[in-house]
Amino acid sequence: MRRLHLHRAGRRRPGVPILILLHGWSCHGGFFAPQLEELAELTEVIAPDLPGHGKTGDRVTPSIEAGADALAAMMQEEDIAQAVLVGWSMGALVAWSMIERHGSGRLGALVVEDMAPRVINGPDWTLGTLNGLDGPRNAVFLKAIEGQWPLLAPATARRSFALDAPRQLVDFAEREMRGANPRLLAAMWRSLTIQDFRPLTPRIQLPVVLARGARSQLYGLAAAEWQAAHLARARIETFARSGHSPHLEESSSFNDMLAGLLRRHGTLQGAEPA
């Protein structure tokens, strides 16, 4: 199997889980710079470039399932156990897919950052994207990704944060997103918008933190509440000043939350596979 490119920092420490961070669509592992820099003092931190993104590119088939398989393979090869896994936006879909396809035996806890188990809205689901994206509108957007990505990147960056987010954050995201490959982005978008992890949700027995931005332009509180109601062990943690990217918008508070999970490793060891 072809491997994911990994951004890494820190080192393994006895009794402390490894932290794995999965980025969102049109981004890359470097979007977790605040976590790679600050939490490396506690443990090894790994942020892969997911398929279709960053230096992984098309080395791995651009699909959610291929990303899940590559992630599971990486964890097996490196003998990672009891990891704290963070899935931001699309990254949560990869995390759920890995649990569905490979189980959660190598995980101690899961953090879902501002994401719903299904992106597309329809007659039986209205908790996808807040803009009401449905099948027909998604077909139009898919065509636009390949042909008009330079025009779409600025709006994608702005929607990744609260409306009043610092300009430097938005500029950083726009600059990095512009460098993404539109063909691969379209393939990943097609894959992520056909996913539906609602049936999986009640089967997840891991401790789950639903980390949401109160000012998110993409997903609402109701999506987190639905997950909390259907998960065995979940809590919602709201970041009041954040949009879709609390790990960047309120990185200090987000890192404190992750550090708390890492330090509670002993209580996480009893988590059963989903």
Side-chain angles (χ1 to χ4, degrees):
M1 174 178 291
R2 305 183 80 177
R3 291 176 171 82
L4 300 169
H5 175 79
L6 306 177
H7 303 252
R8 312 183 78 135
R11 61 181 178 83
R12 296 192 189 191
R13 299 174 188 270
V16 184
I18 290 173
L19 179 63
I20 302 176
L21 308 163
L22 307 179
H23 64 79
W25 182 77
S26 72
C27 303
H28 54 68
F31 275 68
F32 286 109
Q35 289 69 48
L36 288 159
E37 293 168 4
E38 296 178 26
L39 295 173
E41 296 180 1
L42 296 178
T43 188
E44 183 175 13
V45 184
I46 302 175
D49 287 347
L50 294 173
H53 294 76
K55 293 184 179 179
T56 295
D58 59 1
R59 294 192 323 198
V60 177
T61 301
S63 73
I64 297 298
E65 294 83 358
D69 292 346
L71 176 63
M74 182 272 288
M75 295 181 71
Q76 181 176 3
E77 289 170 4
E78 303 211 0
D79 194 26
I80 294 174
Q82 297 300 313
V84 172
L85 180 63
V86 179
W88 167 41
S89 195
M90 179 190 73
L93 299 178
V94 174
W96 286 323
S97 182
M98 190 195 74
I99 292 170
E100 185 174 66
R101 296 164 71 83
H102 301 279
S104 58
R106 293 185 179 274
L107 303 179
L110 174 66
V111 178
V112 174
E113 185 180 358
D114 207 59
M115 191 54 175
R118 180 166 171 78
V119 172
I120 298 295
N121 296 282
D124 67 337
W125 181 248
T126 60
L127 303 180
T129 57
L130 288 174
N131 66 356
L133 186 70
D134 58 13
R137 291 174 60 187
N138 190 49
V140 174
F141 183 66
L142 262 171
K143 291 181 180 178
I145 292 171
E146 282 201 60
Q148 304 177 50
W149 179 240
L151 299 177
L152 295 176
T156 303
R158 288 193 299 271
R159 285 196 295 269
S160 297
F161 304 103
L163 287 171
D164 59 351
R167 186 69 238 176
Q168 63 266 30
L169 271 184
V170 180
D171 288 346
F172 160 77
E174 180 180 338
R175 181 175 65 251
E176 297 300 311
M177 289 174 175
R178 281 182 182 275
N181 183 313
R183 176 181 60 83
L184 299 179
L185 287 184
M188 281 302 284
W189 185 263
R190 184 176 296 106
S191 178
L192 77 87
T193 52
I194 63 173
Q195 306 298 321
D196 186 352
F197 292 105
R198 288 176 294 174
L200 172 71
T201 303
R203 307 203 307 270
I204 296 175
Q205 299 300 308
L206 291 166
V208 180
V209 177
L210 301 162
R212 59 173 299 271
R215 302 181 185 181
S216 176
Q217 299 185 66
L218 294 183
Y219 300 98
L221 173 60
E225 291 177 331
W226 185 94
Q227 292 175 75
H230 290 81
L231 286 162
R233 307 164 66 189
R235 64 181 173 88
I236 296 173
E237 182 140 349
T238 299
F239 294 83
R241 300 191 307 277
S242 293
H244 185 53
S245 310
H247 72 280
L248 288 171
E249 296 171 272
E250 294 181 73
S251 61
S252 179
S253 296
F254 197 88
N255 287 350
D256 287 346
M257 181 265 291
L258 292 180
L261 285 176
L262 294 170
R263 293 190 177 104
R264 287 196 295 274
H265 176 264
T267 65
L268 298 179
Q269 287 185 336
E272 298 178 357

